[in-house]
């Protein structure tokens, strides 16, 4: 049988350290992948003169599955976001951001289990109509919502909920003000909800959703929303379980998927063996589930839970005093 090939983008800052940790874990659990390494971000800019080289795009297209660390897009220098470019290039329309409570973290809540399903290619991040007047006094950007795009992400959310035995889907919108764009999304959400009578459907205005997530997060199960709102809400949800270091992300298309740590590159601690690799390890778990390798995914998740709950060689953000390598070793021993 041909081995599964994975395109691996180590990324910038702490990216190489946490990606190497994740690869050790995948190897230890017996995944037997073949890895093709590719550059993107500042490392690619230095080595190839561009943030997203064609060789990297070709490897992602060839292997159809990629695991990546955090990437840095230079600010204010005319560069397009690398993550947005990847999502557009490979039509990765669904962004899955699950958050689950782990005992032993400094999180304010326990028993959180929420998945944000974010439309990944339209809305305010479509990149259309961005203009600034010559005198710098006026700026515009266009938000685009299509019926096809809205229906695609809503159906994905309901199908995922049904597959994973989840009970409730909440569509988040701002249709009371953004009557055209958010209005269309809400209209399609109501239509799609009728096709899934076995799943409880709810709708919520985005500002109220933010408040409700802080006051009573346990009322949420699956959240489905547009691009900008999903970006904000998924980070808020990460805060419920201890921060972005505990939150993975999956970008799913029709025939390609990229799995990633959702936090930044943290250049201040790069190369210092301090980073918590949990986010990208959980992204690896998402990748295994996508590849229908549920047994290996469960083993990693259970081992990770035990390391964090017992406080065995945990990193500073988890209340410990250890670094990336010690944390990884504790995980490997359990596997």
């Amino acid at each position: 049988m041909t081995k599964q090939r994975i395109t691996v983008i180590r990324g910038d800052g702490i990216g190489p350290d946490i990606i190497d940790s994740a690869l050790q874990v995948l190897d230890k659990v017996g995944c037997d992948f073949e890895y093709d390494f590719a550059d993107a971000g500042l490392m690619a800019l230095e080595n190839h003169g561009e943030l997203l080289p064609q060789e990297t795009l070709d490897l992602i297209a060839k292997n159809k599955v990629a695991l990546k660390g955090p990437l840095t897009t230079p600010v204010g220098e005319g560069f397009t976001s690398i993550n947005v470019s990847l999502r557009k290039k490979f039509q990765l329309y669904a962004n899955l951001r699950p958050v689950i409570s782990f005992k032993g973290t400094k999180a304010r809540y326990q028993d959180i289990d929420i998945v944000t399903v974010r439309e990944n290619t339209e809305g305010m991040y479509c990149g259309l109509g961005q203009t600034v007047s010559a005198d710098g006094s006026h700026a515009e950007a266009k938000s685009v919502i299509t019926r096809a795009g809205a229906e695609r992400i809503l159906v994905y959310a309901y199908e995922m909920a049904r597959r994973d035995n989840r009970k409730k889907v909440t569509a988040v919108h701002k249709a009371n003000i953004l009557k055209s764009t958010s209005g269309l999304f809400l209209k399609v959400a109501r239509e799609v909800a009728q096709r899934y009578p076995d799943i409880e459907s709810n709708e919520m205005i985005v500002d109220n959703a933010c408040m409700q997530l802080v006051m009573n997060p346990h009322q949420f199960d699956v959240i489905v929303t547009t691009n900008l709102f999903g970006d904000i809400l998924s980070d808020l949800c990460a805060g419920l379980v201890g921060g972005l270091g505990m939150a993975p992300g999956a970008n799913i298309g029709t025939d390609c998927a990229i799995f990633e740590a959702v936090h930044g590159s943290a250049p201040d601690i790069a190369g210092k063996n301090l980073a918590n690799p949990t986010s990208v390890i959980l992204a690896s778990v998402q990748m295994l589930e996508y590849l229908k390798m549920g047994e290996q995914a469960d083993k990693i998740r259970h081992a990770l839970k035990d390391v964090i709950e017992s406080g065995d060689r945990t990193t500073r953000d988890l209340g410990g005093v250890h670094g990336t390598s010690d944390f990884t070793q504790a995980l490997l021993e359990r596997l």
Side-chain angles (χ1 to χ4, degrees):
M1 182 179 293
T2 303
K3 290 185 179 181
Q4 173 70 52
R5 302 193 73 89
I6 307 293
T7 301
V8 178
I9 301 171
R10 282 198 167 101
D12 300 314
I14 60 172
D17 289 342
I18 62 172
I19 285 289
D20 286 350
S21 173
L23 297 185
Q24 290 180 61
V25 169
L26 289 170
D27 291 342
K28 184 69 173 181
V29 84
C31 292
D32 201 26
F33 294 141
E34 292 284 352
Y35 302 119
D36 292 320
F37 294 93
D39 286 343
L42 292 181
M43 184 180 295
L45 187 63
E46 182 177 326
N47 294 336
H48 306 277
E50 52 187 333
L51 291 172
L52 196 53
Q54 187 60 46
E55 303 96 294
T56 299
L57 296 174
D58 292 343
L59 270 177
I60 296 171
K62 177 183 176 183
N63 294 336
K64 306 294 185 186
V65 179
L67 179 67
K68 79 174 189 66
L71 300 175
T72 300
T73 301
V75 176
E77 298 181 34
F79 292 106
T80 301
S81 166
I82 308 167
N83 289 329
V84 171
S85 297
L86 286 170
R87 291 163 189 166
K88 285 185 174 182
K89 171 69 176 178
F90 297 104
Q91 278 298 294
L92 307 175
Y93 67 89
N95 183 210
L96 270 62
R97 294 277 301 273
V99 292
I100 300 174
S101 295
F102 284 82
K103 291 181 180 178
T105 66
K106 297 179 179 180
R108 296 178 180 271
Y109 298 92
Q110 294 295 326
D111 303 319
I112 300 294
D113 185 356
I114 302 170
V115 181
T116 301
V117 181
R118 166 192 175 195
E119 202 291 316
N120 221 12
T121 61
E122 297 187 342
M124 285 304 304
Y125 290 10
C126 67
L128 298 176
Q130 297 203 51
T131 62
V132 180
S133 63
D135 63 359
S137 64
H138 181 83
E140 293 182 8
K142 184 183 291 187
S143 176
V144 176
I145 302 291
T146 67
R147 170 172 283 276
E151 183 173 17
R152 181 169 61 174
I153 196 66
L154 286 155
V155 168
Y156 188 98
Y158 276 94
E159 288 292 329
M160 184 202 72
R162 182 178 280 174
R163 182 193 69 223
D164 295 345
N165 198 31
R166 290 182 175 270
K167 306 300 183 185
K168 182 180 180 181
V169 173
T170 301
V172 175
H173 64 92
K174 191 64 177 175
N176 57 323
I177 303 297
L178 305 174
K179 298 183 184 297
S180 57
T181 50
S182 237
L184 177 59
F185 181 81
L186 180 58
K187 178 180 174 62
V188 177
R190 289 170 175 172
E191 293 170 0
V192 171
Q194 293 179 3
R195 306 178 203 169
Y196 297 87
D198 54 315
I199 298 172
E200 181 184 352
S201 296
N202 187 31
E203 57 191 55
M204 196 173 289
I205 296 172
V206 62
D207 37 346
N208 183 37
C210 291
M211 181 183 72
Q212 294 293 334
L213 277 164
V214 172
M215 294 183 67
N216 180 22
H218 299 97
Q219 68 183 286
F220 294 94
D221 190 356
V222 175
I223 296 172
V224 59
T225 189
T226 51
N227 206 334
L228 174 61
F229 297 158
D231 193 6
I232 296 167
L233 288 172
S234 58
D235 274 24
L236 194 161
C237 288
L240 303 176
V241 298
L244 291 176
M246 302 300 297
N251 301 277
I252 310 292
T254 53
D255 67 348
C256 184
I258 299 177
F259 302 86
E260 62 186 353
V262 298
H263 55 69
S265 59
D268 55 319
I269 60 169
K272 296 182 180 179
N273 191 32
L274 294 174
N276 175 6
T278 298
S279 176
V280 80
I281 290 172
L282 287 172
S284 303
V285 169
Q286 286 185 292
M287 181 177 73
L288 292 176
E289 291 171 337
Y290 175 81
L291 293 171
K292 303 192 183 320
M293 300 173 68
E295 182 180 349
Q296 291 93 331
D298 287 342
K299 285 181 181 179
I300 294 173
R301 188 183 288 110
H302 292 150
L304 189 61
K305 178 181 178 182
D306 190 63
V307 169
I308 295 173
E309 186 170 340
S310 65
D312 182 12
R313 285 165 279 182
T314 50
T315 51
R316 295 180 184 183
D317 59 309
L318 295 172
V321 296
H322 292 267
T324 314
S325 57
D326 287 343
F327 182 91
T328 305
Q329 185 59 38
L331 191 53
L332 295 175
E333 289 172 11
R334 285 162 173 78
L335 293 170

